[in-house]
Amino acid sequence: FRNLDPSHLGLGVLDLKANSVQEVTAHSEDSTPSWSSNLEQLVFSSNKHGDRRWRVYAISPKAVRGEGEEWAYGQMASWSPDGTRIAYHGCDERGDNCGIWIIKAGGFGPSRASSHASDTSPSWSPDGKQLALISSRAGNWEIYSVDLTTGQEVRLSDHPAADVAPIWSPNGRQIAFLSNREGAWALYVLDVQSRSVS
């Protein structure tokens, strides 16, 4: 989790059994951690450097106030279920073609996975074949999916309010997300097949 306590800035790991916190990094800008499937690494995003560009880093959860290893320029990184790939919001080396990108673990082989510059907040389906993401391509934040085999992009939500932070259910049939569609932020569930929301 991201800790903004002035005496414990950075990412921390909470041990629920011992009720203790391990301080993994030491910068307030370090955010959005995601576990690898084998629990041996975290990826996170930070703009802690002087140029304020967002970068994706990897670090051991056992590190003590570490810096992490830089893997890419980008943010909102998320590990694939099999631990071999990381999806993130980024751009190419020139700063163009922004959207969702995928790299191999270690920071190699970047490839673009979505078509719009606003696409962000990727979430892997349990089988690793699709990503859910949010995009403002239609004028407000909606949830989309992209099939990583065919490249087909599908709009899943359609509401004037903001729909954000998608997370797949373990069976891949539903996506939980946050929305302010009732006037206050609340949790909703979208059925991927029917696109009905409850």
Side-chain angles (χ1 to χ4, degrees), residues 23-164:
E23 294 180 26
V24 179
T25 72
H27 298 277
S28 62
E29 298 89 346
D30 300 345
S31 59
T32 61
S34 176
W35 289 95
S36 62
S37 57
N38 62 10
L39 306 181
E40 293 182 0
Q41 285 184 304
L42 295 168
V43 289
F44 67 95
S45 305
S46 184
N47 63 348
K48 60 189 172 186
H49 288 299
D51 62 7
R52 306 309 283 175
R53 289 186 66 185
W54 285 97
R55 292 169 169 86
V56 174
Y57 297 86
I59 196 167
S60 166
K62 297 177 183 177
V64 179
R65 301 178 69 79
E67 293 292 324
E69 178 183 355
E70 183 180 325
W71 280 4
Y73 284 105
Q75 59 184 324
M76 305 296 291
S78 176
W79 279 99
S80 64
D82 65 3
T84 63
R85 298 170 292 167
I86 295 93
Y88 62 97
H89 171 82
C91 306
D92 65 19
E93 293 177 357
R94 297 180 309 276
D96 300 323
N97 298 308
C98 300
I100 302 298
W101 284 71
I102 295 175
I103 54 173
K104 296 176 183 176
F108 308 106
S111 62
R112 192 174 184 206
S114 75
S115 64
H116 197 270
S118 70
D119 298 349
T120 189
S121 194
S123 173
W124 293 87
S125 62
D127 62 8
K129 295 180 179 179
Q130 295 184 77
L131 289 172
L133 56 96
I134 63 171
S135 180
S136 63
R137 63 180 76 180
N140 66 308
W141 291 108
E142 299 286 1
I143 297 170
Y144 291 75
S145 67
V146 57
D147 185 306
L148 297 177
T149 302
T150 66
Q152 181 182 15
E153 298 176 1
V154 177
R155 182 173 174 173
L156 298 177
S157 71
D158 187 2
H159 197 279
D163 295 338
V164 298

